[in-house]
Amino acid sequence: MKIYVLAKKSVVKVISVFILLSVSILYTSTMSNNTLDVFSNKKELPIYYVDTPEKKIAISFDAAWGTEYTEDILNTLDKYKVKTTFFLVDFWVKKHPDVLKKIDKKGHEIGNHSTNHPEMSKLSKEEIIKEIKTTEESIEKVIGKKTTLFRPPFGDYNDNLINTCRELGYHVIQWDVDSLDWKEKGAQSVVDTVTRNVKNGSIVLFHNNAKYVSEYLPLVIEKLQAEGYKIVPISELIYKDNYDVDVDGKQIKKQTKK
């Protein structure tokens, strides 16, 4: 009798294990795509930097408040024969159209930085479109050129933003080197931060109204040029089509089949 009971318990145990395994396999095979996406690398990413063998980089300026140092910036860029990209917010454009005209006339690239400087990931698709198109139209009215690069305020984005920008014909641009000029720790701090972290294909973030920009900008450019870097506008650095962006935000040119 005792042997029979033990045998019965063993059978029950085997059956229980079999049932658990079956349920597990069934659950795994029928998991929704949304659940599986949590463990995938399907998240959309903006361009942080570019994979290139050339010693070529881009520096950029976000302009949302003030123009106090913009003349100094433009004079420095002229002095070192550098062209760059300025990302502008709509209310800045409306307040300083003459400055926008001057930036454009000097051959610098104009990017879109939204209308009201919001956290873009919190907006609906319709709100994102309005933020981008309003600024696009304001810039086009002043200089007659359509923007094609978008930098989200605060570097805040999600899949909805990336996909919407793609539909609108925009490349979403981040940065891999933050100058941290907004911390106002002095010119040398910015010079060190940028020159120690820059590499081929880097995109550097500056702000047009940073307190020490008139001091640090010539020092940064001199050092980068001495190290052999060519500084170009972002649109001359990135690939416009036939590319991937890896999990680190590096834009990689797809290899064409021969």
Side-chain angles (χ1 to χ4, degrees):
M1 182 69 179
K2 186 175 181 180
I3 294 173
Y4 171 76
V5 171
L6 289 173
K8 187 176 181 181
K9 286 184 176 179
S10 296
V11 171
V12 170
K13 187 174 182 179
V14 170
I15 293 172
S16 297
V17 171
F18 178 76
I19 292 172
L20 287 172
L21 285 172
S22 299
V23 171
S24 177
I25 292 170
L26 179 63
Y27 175 74
T28 301
S29 65
T30 57
M31 283 177 73
S32 69
N33 290 332
N34 288 339
T35 304
L36 290 173
D37 282 348
V38 172
F39 305 100
S40 73
N41 290 322
K42 291 183 178 179
K43 181 176 175 59
E44 298 284 356
L45 290 172
I47 300 167
Y48 282 79
Y49 66 108
V50 178
D51 180 44
T52 175
E54 299 180 66
K55 294 202 75 170
K56 184 167 66 172
I57 65 170
I59 62 176
S60 58
F61 294 87
D62 286 2
W65 291 276
T67 59
E68 183 179 353
Y69 308 111
T70 305
E71 187 71 25
D72 287 347
I73 292 171
L74 294 175
N75 289 338
T76 296
L77 295 173
D78 279 349
K79 178 180 178 181
Y80 294 97
K81 297 179 172 57
V82 169
K83 302 301 179 187
T84 186
T85 305
F86 287 80
F87 287 94
L88 310 181
V89 173
D90 187 64
F91 55 77
W92 190 95
V93 172
K94 285 184 168 61
K95 190 173 182 180
H96 309 291
D98 291 340
V99 181
L100 167 55
K101 287 178 183 178
K102 189 167 188 177
I103 294 171
D104 175 65
K105 187 176 181 179
K106 286 182 174 289
H108 302 293
E109 180 176 43
I110 306 299
N112 192 319
H113 197 36
S114 82
T115 299
N116 298 300
H117 209 268
E119 293 178 66
M120 301 298 290
S121 67
K122 295 181 179 179
L123 305 183
S124 66
K125 180 174 182 175
E126 291 71 25
E127 290 171 327
I128 290 172
I129 292 173
K130 185 176 181 181
E131 282 285 329
I132 294 172
K133 295 300 286 185
T134 299
T135 305
E136 175 187 302
E137 291 166 5
S138 293
I139 291 171
E140 194 166 9
K141 284 179 182 177
V142 177
I143 62 173
K145 297 176 183 177
K146 180 184 179 299
T147 50
T148 58
L149 304 180
F150 180 74
R151 172 168 285 161
F154 314 108
D156 178 56
Y157 66 90
N158 59 5
D159 287 2
N160 185 33
L161 173 68
I162 305 295
N163 289 325
T164 302
C165 283
R166 187 178 293 128
E167 290 173 14
L168 294 174
Y170 277 81
H171 290 90
V172 182
I173 307 297
Q174 292 283 81
W175 59 87
D176 67 312
V177 180
D178 186 347
S179 68
L180 301 177
D181 54 3
W182 52 272
K183 287 191 174 184
E184 298 186 353
K185 290 186 175 182
Q188 192 58 49
S189 175
V190 175
V191 174
D192 292 342
T193 298
V194 174
T195 57
R196 289 174 182 173
N197 291 289
V198 77
K199 57 183 178 292
N200 290 9
S202 279
I203 298 174
V204 184
L205 170 66
F206 293 122
H207 295 85
N208 78 304
N209 219 37
K211 184 176 181 180
Y212 299 103
V213 65
S214 299
E215 298 173 51
Y216 73 63
L217 187 59
L219 298 176
V220 167
I221 292 176
E222 283 179 8
K223 191 158 187 179
L224 291 176
Q225 289 182 335
E227 291 176 3
Y229 285 106
K230 181 180 180 181
I231 304 171
V232 299
I234 291 173
S235 64
E236 292 183 23
L237 178 68
I238 65 172
Y239 304 116
K240 303 301 194 314
D241 50 37
N242 197 36
Y243 67 84
D244 289 316
V245 178
D246 72 10
V247 294
D248 294 321
K250 177 171 65 176
Q251 188 192 38
I252 304 169
K253 185 72 172 175
K254 288 182 180 178
Q255 297 297 320
T256 54
K257 294 182 180 180
K258 295 182 180 180

